Amino acid sequence: MNTSSPSATYLGVPAASLDDPRSFSGADVVILGAPFDGGTSHRPGTRLGPHAIRTSDYLEYGGGRPSFLVSVDPFTELRVVDAGDVFMPPGDIEAALHRLEETVVAVAATEAVPVVLGGDHSIALPDVTGVARGVGFGRVAVLHFDAHADTADSQFGSAYGHSTSMRRLVESGAVRGDRLLQIGLRGYWPGSEVLAWMSAQGVRTFDMARVVRHGLDDCLDEAFAIASRDVDGVFLSVDVDVVDPGMAPGTGTPEPGGLTSRELLHAVRRCALELPVLGMDVVELSPPFDGPGEITAILANRIVLECLAGIAARRAGDPAGR
Amino acid sequence: MNTSSPSATYLGVPAASLDDPRSFSGADVVILGAPFDGGTSHRPGTRLGPHAIRTSDYLEYGGGRPSFLVSVDPFTELRVVDAGDVFMPPGDIEAALHRLEETVVAVAATEAVPVVLGGDHSIALPDVTGVARGVGFGRVAVLHFDAHADTADSQFGSAYGHSTSMRRLVESGAVRGDRLLQIGLRGYWPGSEVLAWMSAQGVRTFDMARVVRHGLDDCLDEAFAIASRDVDGVFLSVDVDVVDPGMAPGTGTPEPGGLTSRELLHAVRRCALELPVLGMDVVELSPPFDGPGEITAILANRIVLECLAGIAARRAGDPAGR
Amino acid sequence: MNTSSPSATYLGVPAASLDDPRSFSGADVVILGAPFDGGTSHRPGTRLGPHAIRTSDYLEYGGGRPSFLVSVDPFTELRVVDAGDVFMPPGDIEAALHRLEETVVAVAATEAVPVVLGGDHSIALPDVTGVARGVGFGRVAVLHFDAHADTADSQFGSAYGHSTSMRRLVESGAVRGDRLLQIGLRGYWPGSEVLAWMSAQGVRTFDMARVVRHGLDDCLDEAFAIASRDVDGVFLSVDVDVVDPGMAPGTGTPEPGGLTSRELLHAVRRCALELPVLGMDVVELSPPFDGPGEITAILANRIVLECLAGIAARRAGDPAGR
Amino acid sequence: MNTSSPSATYLGVPAASLDDPRSFSGADVVILGAPFDGGTSHRPGTRLGPHAIRTSDYLEYGGGRPSFLVSVDPFTELRVVDAGDVFMPPGDIEAALHRLEETVVAVAATEAVPVVLGGDHSIALPDVTGVARGVGFGRVAVLHFDAHADTADSQFGSAYGHSTSMRRLVESGAVRGDRLLQIGLRGYWPGSEVLAWMSAQGVRTFDMARVVRHGLDDCLDEAFAIASRDVDGVFLSVDVDVVDPGMAPGTGTPEPGGLTSRELLHAVRRCALELPVLGMDVVELSPPFDGPGEITAILANRIVLECLAGIAARRAGDPAGR
Amino acid sequence: MNTSSPSATYLGVPAASLDDPRSFSGADVVILGAPFDGGTSHRPGTRLGPHAIRTSDYLEYGGGRPSFLVSVDPFTELRVVDAGDVFMPPGDIEAALHRLEETVVAVAATEAVPVVLGGDHSIALPDVTGVARGVGFGRVAVLHFDAHADTADSQFGSAYGHSTSMRRLVESGAVRGDRLLQIGLRGYWPGSEVLAWMSAQGVRTFDMARVVRHGLDDCLDEAFAIASRDVDGVFLSVDVDVVDPGMAPGTGTPEPGGLTSRELLHAVRRCALELPVLGMDVVELSPPFDGPGEITAILANRIVLECLAGIAARRAGDPAGR
Amino acid sequence: MNTSSPSATYLGVPAASLDDPRSFSGADVVILGAPFDGGTSHRPGTRLGPHAIRTSDYLEYGGGRPSFLVSVDPFTELRVVDAGDVFMPPGDIEAALHRLEETVVAVAATEAVPVVLGGDHSIALPDVTGVARGVGFGRVAVLHFDAHADTADSQFGSAYGHSTSMRRLVESGAVRGDRLLQIGLRGYWPGSEVLAWMSAQGVRTFDMARVVRHGLDDCLDEAFAIASRDVDGVFLSVDVDVVDPGMAPGTGTPEPGGLTSRELLHAVRRCALELPVLGMDVVELSPPFDGPGEITAILANRIVLECLAGIAARRAGDPAGR
């Protein structure tokens, strides 16, 4: 954890305190920071992600954010608060993930939607588990945008890490294998054993070849249909590396051939407009590799905002946007 | 103004002098630099834009530029000169914009097309006003490529700034509200009051959701049709932030979800081939945020060149390109 | 040549020695490094390309690379070795290219597919000539992905350079003019004399306007059909600047308006799946202009891997991929 | 002004409000931000300086800062508050400087030491004038660390700018010419007319040749002796470009051959320990030119902290440090 | 641990295997990599340090390195091997440090000098403990070059971390408090409790104020005299942040006001020439913050080489260098 | 050669033409660009050096440059012209160096002082030879500031390269071995054979250990005394890597432990004030490795300017400066 960051909140929304759950009672959305890179297998830096996601914008800090495309201001429609960073010791992944899970449980218990700013993708395990502990194991579908399946059996000899989180979620029963919906996969991983496990669990993948051939909207239609059956809602887990590294260089395990930023924002918007979002995380932003334009940080900021706008529009009775 | 830059001309075209209007008489196109960032609301640096736009190319400085896609060399078909930088004191926006307007008027009076290299988007006010003072208020349509509408009522308490220029143009009558055609809008601005003003003026917006749903060419068809009615020509105002920051990081107020570079160059080419261009500006390039590849500077250089090639092809009697 | 680089092999495949041809006998693919920028006309740095292409990946060095999209691990299906860098003195282009040609001839003589990691595009002359010396002049088609035609008559007064390589190949008869298939061309070069020469030779170009209008797959269909007639196979020459500089900044002569990374990887995959690849080079990666995310290096690494996966799938009897 | 920055205070000290002077009554030191680059003549970016100075540290935000070298924690000895940024419209330098002067007057009226985080060096005019309006014109000496004399008669035709501030101060009488003490001068400016004016006013310069020949401590001894006569205290104005650009690249007008960071921190420490500091500014930090290590921002942060530690030690009765 | 790095050895020295201790029997020096940043409190990236230290040089990889200043080639005089990286899981600091300690013990048991390439400074605990387990607790002095004392009682609630390593070493008895010699300290840490503990243990500090006042050589004379009494040799622990961040930006907790690179290399050379070095580590290099020149990585490479040259000259019977 | 650079002159001095020697007749100093990196052994980029040296300044382009430390404006005292870049084909080092030598001969024949902006250090061979062809072989001493001796017998199997230039000069008799004075050497090259050759030729080296021990001024005193005997003047050859890479990162073969920028500028100033300078080159600036602050380019610009100021002061009858 980087305690030297000033305690800025996401775009200047009111602060809440993790130590005082009453401070976020009544909130519709609670932002949490998970400044952790103890679970990454390659370039570190995601511990600096939450601060960058919170502050990478050019509009007035603390002001409104009326969406041009969805015609709603999420900060008008929703009560959004930021409860700051969870304390996650970098050298103790089990303790770190445990603390995060307890925090997500506490937030979810208030009926607020937890939005977790990563951090590497190992945090999806506590993020989704925390939500599932509220609505019930097996009652939340996961919409997983990523270049990678994150279904390894172990990483560096440990059960925990950014490449194992989705496996652990299915194994524990927090998420049904056939309600794990992966969009954007590509590259040169995993091998046949892991693929066999995924297939046996009924994990549904929409890889980039499929996205190109069928169109992103068709893939989303199909995924959303599955994600609407026999669950109470969805958790949206967005790894910024689902976007092509040519447009999102600030990440640890970049794999060429991905979505454009525009496609991802479109997909996130549709998800939040069309499905009941119970929780969200945005992960794998690594600012040191982002370059002076800070484009990946800005993109990550907008992934969150686009989701909030969609939730706001949906609650305002406009499930299709304007 | 950065007086420490060497006085390079755009791609090495002949130099003209703002102090001696005869030096550009007979020119078809006069390039002007507007090295100004006193009107930006966030990351500065556009005062360094004109020099970067002029020199960011890998081909021979001072040589020809035969377009592969349009089959014409703009420097053969057109007499293009570069009159250097307008003196724009950074700390006095009113004086700076006034000087620029007078210069554009002087250029337009010679029947040459002024092409202004920005600088932040506050310069669109003098750029378009200068042209309108030649052809008549209300007689020029504006094709405005941008992530932002630039229709704020005021910025930092001032009437001038990069977020107010389009409003001032409509208010003054230089441009009819229904001939302000905005392409590429998105993001989280403006609020309802400004939107109401835009609507009342008949401003026509083609936001990114519309571009994606209908296709860019359909949007351009519709915009070009409007831009051809009851005016004498168009002013093409290109904010590089209309391109997704993933492909154009070197700018001050980047908003994800935009056009690709390829789409923008295509749109600029079509505009110059199909419509009578009376003036152009390329704005908001901020070199310090561009990274070592200087890709946004190179893009801005090509936006100008693509427009010149289109003008050349149109004049050569080839309105559709090859 | 940069002798200060450690002798890493491509992704950790076994090393072979150029001094001992037996060390790569039996190999299906032999990787060669061509660390040379003596032929570039603008930003240097491609001499640092081979090391960057070999090592820019986040997966285990020396491990497998099972392709998610093609369902094959090239390192399981193919025996791939890396014979290291050819010695190419930076200040003597003739000697450097001669050495490379002799090395490619030696590799091709073993029936292995040479894959040459550039280096600037001047190396295409020895790369393709070396292959043609094996299968016969005129018996290899060239699929040339590039922003530029590389058909200049001379560069800096010399016959050799990155802008003349394709001309020399046709002039020598190594490649028939009508089997030189260029995809992705754009920008402001060459002039009419060079275009006339290209036309006279029957060079077939698919420029970016055509790619956009007809679709990339239609262009590839047409190109592949030509490349299948009256030749024994194809040489795939990929200049990373065929990709838009917005997504591939690390190169010397960037020209906006190109392919996306995703499109290029798709095209390379199709080529390797559908046509008999006799050789390949990946050129013009210049690491110093790539920025901290190293995205162009990673892309170049994947261009090679995507080709290897396609070759593997084709040999495994799956010409259409999964 | 960059309103998109979160309202972080310097190292987490308590916030005060410029709108409510009572909020800083009783404070020993009041930090002010002057986010302005409308007065720079070359590379912009100093408007981003205050936020960078406030937050560039690795120690706990809001924690103590016990000085290892001076054996005092300034945040224990002194009541330090941060009153945030003065509103300084970038395109109106006169209005911007006027606002800043009024603010400094208000702070100085409370007996607190104003510490202004720039911003370009044009702000020294309001900073020092504001203090002088409190103690009386001619009653404050200026210790001016800089590569440049900042004594031009005009800049871009204006009386205001970063190269004219020291001249204006002497001309107005706020500072006596013979109590303007300039340390670190070098380079290729100004010309003989300006030098003659400086000489006529009795301005005392310690240029880098003198610093090298006589030693920094001897120069400081001499300067401090002058600064102790016939005035009530000193204003310490530190331009980060006094440090060699090799160690402080993040600035707008870098001039090689300067102090080391270590020498500057030593000089600042001595100044605060040995003289009554009535005010301070740290100027010309331009984050976009600083590189990924952010070393100039960190240095600027420490210049402030070293001064605070010196003031604290002096007040604690330890004028020589430990 | 970053398994995606190619297994390059330090400057191309022969490889040894940690799994086969016989592979380094007979070696005079064994290089080890400790790719770990789980113990850092701020900017991460030191897990990428070992690879950067090994390969950042411009001279022939695998060639000789005759020292110009010491007139000896360490690779001629000494048998140096590189045993590769210790497996250090990023999310389990206890296990990671334990593995490193066992490895250092195994190396030290062969009489070879272990040289550990960090990694953050938490590794000094296993590095020195490993050596002390060989020669006996209390029998090794530590020459500790650093901006920070690293004597905190705990970090993030844990006994382990880069700010606690020196405390743990003294507490365990591995190092006597009065044989911990710290050079280069400065900045704003620690507080009085920690200082009291240091004083009680007899820790000897040579802070930067003392280095400046007395001269570096005098400080070294005094430190070396202490380090020669009642111990069997010294461990040299060099944190690159002892150098001023202006010359060594690529680190996680930069503190201005430090040594120059030249001074540090001089001190390291003297240490190795004048004292029996039993072990060494070079820590806190964080490549992502180093910038395109990679100057901190190159410095870290030379710190190791300067030590090896000193050891070689000492063994060659030339304790004072040439 | 980079023909895409605009034809800016050094700081805006008048242009001359290499094709028309009359254009520089009467000049005191003729600037030449040598945009070449075909002779470097590691990181390329020096072909971009001349343009960067010419334009890296913040003062008015084309204005005066009154030296603060030497009290003279070189552009008032001296007639300085810039004859542009010599055509140096990157892939043909022999032809490139030959062209440069002929050009230097032509300049020296006019009695002007040639100042050559490199380019890598291979250009010292033609630079000094060209001057020696004017005054006579053996009649010019070389003051060689460098981290490296550049006395290799061959590089990459060639007689030419940046590591062989000083050897060739002595072998040809252009420079007497005992009038080659090398200052700043350090690092890990060359080996004993080369050292023996140097010793046999009487080459005099002042390495960094000596500079530190004796002081820079003592070394300069001794070197200048030798350089004043039995020759007609000196050639000043400054490799920017003589400065510590911590302050001059933008170079190809950086070696830690060097001079500070301040020391180098002092030495250059003394040289030009105290000795008759017959020619000068500044070499090894590689802009791609310089970072956003461009500090090495700015330093190289000042090395030239400091020399010009010294020459001007000497001619103005002030051999000791003010």
mmCIF file of all heavy atoms in Angstrom, chain C residues 139-160:
data_model
loop_
_atom_site.group_PDB
_atom_site.id
_atom_site.type_symbol
_atom_site.label_atom_id
_atom_site.label_comp_id
_atom_site.label_asym_id
_atom_site.label_seq_id
_atom_site.Cartn_x
_atom_site.Cartn_y
_atom_site.Cartn_z
ATOM 1 N N ARG C 139 10.096 -17.692 -58.186
ATOM 2 C CA ARG C 139 9.237 -18.759 -57.652
ATOM 3 C C ARG C 139 8.675 -18.438 -56.276
ATOM 4 O O ARG C 139 8.050 -19.292 -55.640
ATOM 5 C CB ARG C 139 10.006 -20.085 -57.583
ATOM 6 C CG ARG C 139 10.585 -20.591 -58.898
ATOM 7 C CD ARG C 139 9.524 -20.792 -59.964
ATOM 8 N NE ARG C 139 8.470 -21.699 -59.504
ATOM 9 C CZ ARG C 139 7.258 -21.794 -60.068
ATOM 10 N NH1 ARG C 139 6.942 -21.031 -61.108
ATOM 11 N NH2 ARG C 139 6.362 -22.631 -59.610
ATOM 12 N N VAL C 140 8.946 -17.240 -55.789
ATOM 13 C CA VAL C 140 8.398 -16.869 -54.479
ATOM 14 C C VAL C 140 7.624 -15.550 -54.620
ATOM 15 O O VAL C 140 8.099 -14.598 -55.254
ATOM 16 C CB VAL C 140 9.518 -16.754 -53.414
ATOM 17 C CG1 VAL C 140 10.561 -15.715 -53.784
ATOM 18 C CG2 VAL C 140 8.939 -16.426 -52.040
ATOM 19 N N ALA C 141 6.409 -15.556 -54.119
ATOM 20 C CA ALA C 141 5.629 -14.315 -54.066
ATOM 21 C C ALA C 141 5.951 -13.589 -52.768
ATOM 22 O O ALA C 141 6.316 -14.221 -51.773
ATOM 23 C CB ALA C 141 4.134 -14.612 -54.124
ATOM 24 N N VAL C 142 5.826 -12.264 -52.774
ATOM 25 C CA VAL C 142 6.070 -11.501 -51.557
ATOM 26 C C VAL C 142 4.775 -10.846 -51.099
ATOM 27 O O VAL C 142 4.154 -10.097 -51.853
ATOM 28 C CB VAL C 142 7.154 -10.430 -51.775
ATOM 29 C CG1 VAL C 142 7.275 -9.528 -50.557
ATOM 30 C CG2 VAL C 142 8.500 -11.087 -52.076
ATOM 31 N N LEU C 143 4.363 -11.187 -49.889
ATOM 32 C CA LEU C 143 3.245 -10.480 -49.258
ATOM 33 C C LEU C 143 3.863 -9.402 -48.383
ATOM 34 O O LEU C 143 4.491 -9.709 -47.366
ATOM 35 C CB LEU C 143 2.398 -11.439 -48.430
ATOM 36 C CG LEU C 143 1.324 -12.143 -49.247
ATOM 37 C CD1 LEU C 143 0.733 -13.287 -48.460
ATOM 38 C CD2 LEU C 143 0.213 -11.149 -49.633
ATOM 39 N N HIS C 144 3.678 -8.176 -48.788
ATOM 40 C CA HIS C 144 4.425 -7.054 -48.227
ATOM 41 C C HIS C 144 3.468 -6.109 -47.507
ATOM 42 O O HIS C 144 2.756 -5.335 -48.141
ATOM 43 C CB HIS C 144 5.146 -6.353 -49.395
ATOM 44 C CG HIS C 144 5.869 -5.094 -49.037
ATOM 45 N ND1 HIS C 144 6.101 -4.084 -49.924
ATOM 46 C CD2 HIS C 144 6.428 -4.684 -47.876
ATOM 47 C CE1 HIS C 144 6.746 -3.097 -49.335
ATOM 48 N NE2 HIS C 144 6.970 -3.438 -48.094
ATOM 49 N N PHE C 145 3.460 -6.198 -46.173
ATOM 50 C CA PHE C 145 2.624 -5.307 -45.362
ATOM 51 C C PHE C 145 3.442 -4.084 -44.989
ATOM 52 O O PHE C 145 4.488 -4.215 -44.327
ATOM 53 C CB PHE C 145 2.146 -6.019 -44.103
ATOM 54 C CG PHE C 145 1.128 -7.081 -44.364
ATOM 55 C CD1 PHE C 145 1.512 -8.384 -44.667
ATOM 56 C CD2 PHE C 145 -0.218 -6.771 -44.350
ATOM 57 C CE1 PHE C 145 0.565 -9.370 -44.928
ATOM 58 C CE2 PHE C 145 -1.173 -7.748 -44.605
ATOM 59 C CZ PHE C 145 -0.775 -9.050 -44.897
ATOM 60 N N ASP C 146 2.990 -2.903 -45.364
ATOM 61 C CA ASP C 146 3.839 -1.721 -45.197
ATOM 62 C C ASP C 146 3.002 -0.477 -45.468
ATOM 63 O O ASP C 146 2.026 -0.501 -46.217
ATOM 64 C CB ASP C 146 4.998 -1.804 -46.218
ATOM 65 C CG ASP C 146 6.224 -0.987 -45.824
ATOM 66 O OD1 ASP C 146 6.077 0.014 -45.102
ATOM 67 O OD2 ASP C 146 7.322 -1.359 -46.245
ATOM 68 N N ALA C 147 3.402 0.631 -44.853
ATOM 69 C CA ALA C 147 2.847 1.925 -45.251
ATOM 70 C C ALA C 147 3.469 2.435 -46.538
ATOM 71 O O ALA C 147 2.907 3.320 -47.196
ATOM 72 C CB ALA C 147 3.065 2.952 -44.148
ATOM 73 N N HIS C 148 4.633 1.901 -46.885
ATOM 74 C CA HIS C 148 5.430 2.434 -48.000
ATOM 75 C C HIS C 148 5.732 1.342 -49.023
ATOM 76 O O HIS C 148 5.906 0.176 -48.654
ATOM 77 C CB HIS C 148 6.755 2.981 -47.472
ATOM 78 C CG HIS C 148 6.623 3.861 -46.277
ATOM 79 N ND1 HIS C 148 6.685 3.382 -44.989
ATOM 80 C CD2 HIS C 148 6.389 5.200 -46.171
ATOM 81 C CE1 HIS C 148 6.506 4.388 -44.127
ATOM 82 N NE2 HIS C 148 6.315 5.498 -44.813
ATOM 83 N N ALA C 149 5.881 1.754 -50.279
ATOM 84 C CA ALA C 149 6.111 0.788 -51.346
ATOM 85 C C ALA C 149 7.551 0.280 -51.392
ATOM 86 O O ALA C 149 7.812 -0.799 -51.930
ATOM 87 C CB ALA C 149 5.739 1.413 -52.688
ATOM 88 N N ASP C 150 8.513 1.051 -50.880
ATOM 89 C CA ASP C 150 9.928 0.635 -50.862
ATOM 90 C C ASP C 150 10.445 0.312 -52.251
ATOM 91 O O ASP C 150 11.243 -0.624 -52.432
ATOM 92 C CB ASP C 150 10.139 -0.571 -49.921
ATOM 93 C CG ASP C 150 9.868 -0.228 -48.464
ATOM 94 O OD1 ASP C 150 9.598 0.952 -48.159
ATOM 95 O OD2 ASP C 150 9.908 -1.141 -47.623
ATOM 96 N N THR C 151 10.036 1.118 -53.213
ATOM 97 C CA THR C 151 10.396 0.865 -54.612
ATOM 98 C C THR C 151 11.179 2.030 -55.221
ATOM 99 O O THR C 151 11.109 2.275 -56.429
ATOM 100 C CB THR C 151 9.121 0.631 -55.444
ATOM 101 O OG1 THR C 151 8.182 1.676 -55.098
ATOM 102 C CG2 THR C 151 8.515 -0.724 -55.173
ATOM 103 N N ALA C 152 11.907 2.777 -54.362
ATOM 104 C CA ALA C 152 12.719 3.877 -54.888
ATOM 105 C C ALA C 152 13.865 3.325 -55.720
ATOM 106 O O ALA C 152 14.307 2.182 -55.529
ATOM 107 C CB ALA C 152 13.277 4.700 -53.729
ATOM 108 N N ASP C 153 14.338 4.138 -56.640
ATOM 109 C CA ASP C 153 15.458 3.707 -57.473
ATOM 110 C C ASP C 153 16.770 3.806 -56.707
ATOM 111 O O ASP C 153 17.685 3.002 -56.928
ATOM 112 C CB ASP C 153 15.511 4.577 -58.729
ATOM 113 C CG ASP C 153 16.459 3.986 -59.750
ATOM 114 O OD1 ASP C 153 16.616 2.750 -59.766
ATOM 115 O OD2 ASP C 153 17.043 4.766 -60.518
ATOM 116 N N SER C 154 16.881 4.800 -55.834
ATOM 117 C CA SER C 154 18.088 4.900 -55.023
ATOM 118 C C SER C 154 17.772 5.676 -53.752
ATOM 119 O O SER C 154 16.731 6.334 -53.650
ATOM 120 C CB SER C 154 19.214 5.624 -55.779
ATOM 121 O OG SER C 154 18.892 6.995 -55.910
ATOM 122 N N GLN C 155 18.658 5.557 -52.784
ATOM 123 C CA GLN C 155 18.481 6.259 -51.509
ATOM 124 C C GLN C 155 19.823 6.815 -51.083
ATOM 125 O O GLN C 155 20.795 6.063 -50.968
ATOM 126 C CB GLN C 155 17.936 5.270 -50.468
ATOM 127 C CG GLN C 155 17.756 5.894 -49.086
ATOM 128 C CD GLN C 155 17.272 4.898 -48.042
ATOM 129 O OE1 GLN C 155 16.456 4.043 -48.334
ATOM 130 N NE2 GLN C 155 17.781 5.013 -46.831
ATOM 131 N N PHE C 156 19.884 8.106 -50.828
ATOM 132 C CA PHE C 156 21.159 8.744 -50.474
ATOM 133 C C PHE C 156 22.232 8.392 -51.517
ATOM 134 O O PHE C 156 23.390 8.183 -51.174
ATOM 135 C CB PHE C 156 21.629 8.299 -49.090
ATOM 136 C CG PHE C 156 20.699 8.649 -47.976
ATOM 137 C CD1 PHE C 156 20.584 7.812 -46.864
ATOM 138 C CD2 PHE C 156 19.915 9.799 -47.998
ATOM 139 C CE1 PHE C 156 19.736 8.132 -45.805
ATOM 140 C CE2 PHE C 156 19.067 10.119 -46.950
ATOM 141 C CZ PHE C 156 18.980 9.290 -45.861
ATOM 142 N N GLY C 157 21.800 8.255 -52.775
ATOM 143 C CA GLY C 157 22.768 7.962 -53.817
ATOM 144 C C GLY C 157 23.210 6.514 -53.893
ATOM 145 O O GLY C 157 24.076 6.161 -54.701
ATOM 146 N N SER C 158 22.632 5.671 -53.078
ATOM 147 C CA SER C 158 23.044 4.270 -53.037
ATOM 148 C C SER C 158 21.916 3.375 -53.552
ATOM 149 O O SER C 158 20.731 3.721 -53.497
ATOM 150 C CB SER C 158 23.395 3.891 -51.599
ATOM 151 O OG SER C 158 23.444 2.486 -51.435
ATOM 152 N N ALA C 159 22.292 2.214 -54.055
ATOM 153 C CA ALA C 159 21.295 1.241 -54.490
ATOM 154 C C ALA C 159 20.603 0.583 -53.305
ATOM 155 O O ALA C 159 19.545 -0.036 -53.459
ATOM 156 C CB ALA C 159 21.962 0.173 -55.350
ATOM 157 N N TYR C 160 21.205 0.701 -52.127
ATOM 158 C CA TYR C 160 20.720 -0.025 -50.963
ATOM 159 C C TYR C 160 20.113 0.921 -49.948
ATOM 160 O O TYR C 160 20.595 2.042 -49.762
ATOM 161 C CB TYR C 160 21.868 -0.814 -50.327
ATOM 162 C CG TYR C 160 22.525 -1.722 -51.322
ATOM 163 C CD1 TYR C 160 23.746 -1.377 -51.911
ATOM 164 C CD2 TYR C 160 21.893 -2.896 -51.728
ATOM 165 C CE1 TYR C 160 24.329 -2.200 -52.857
ATOM 166 C CE2 TYR C 160 22.474 -3.723 -52.676
ATOM 167 C CZ TYR C 160 23.689 -3.365 -53.241
ATOM 168 O OH TYR C 160 24.253 -4.172 -54.188
#
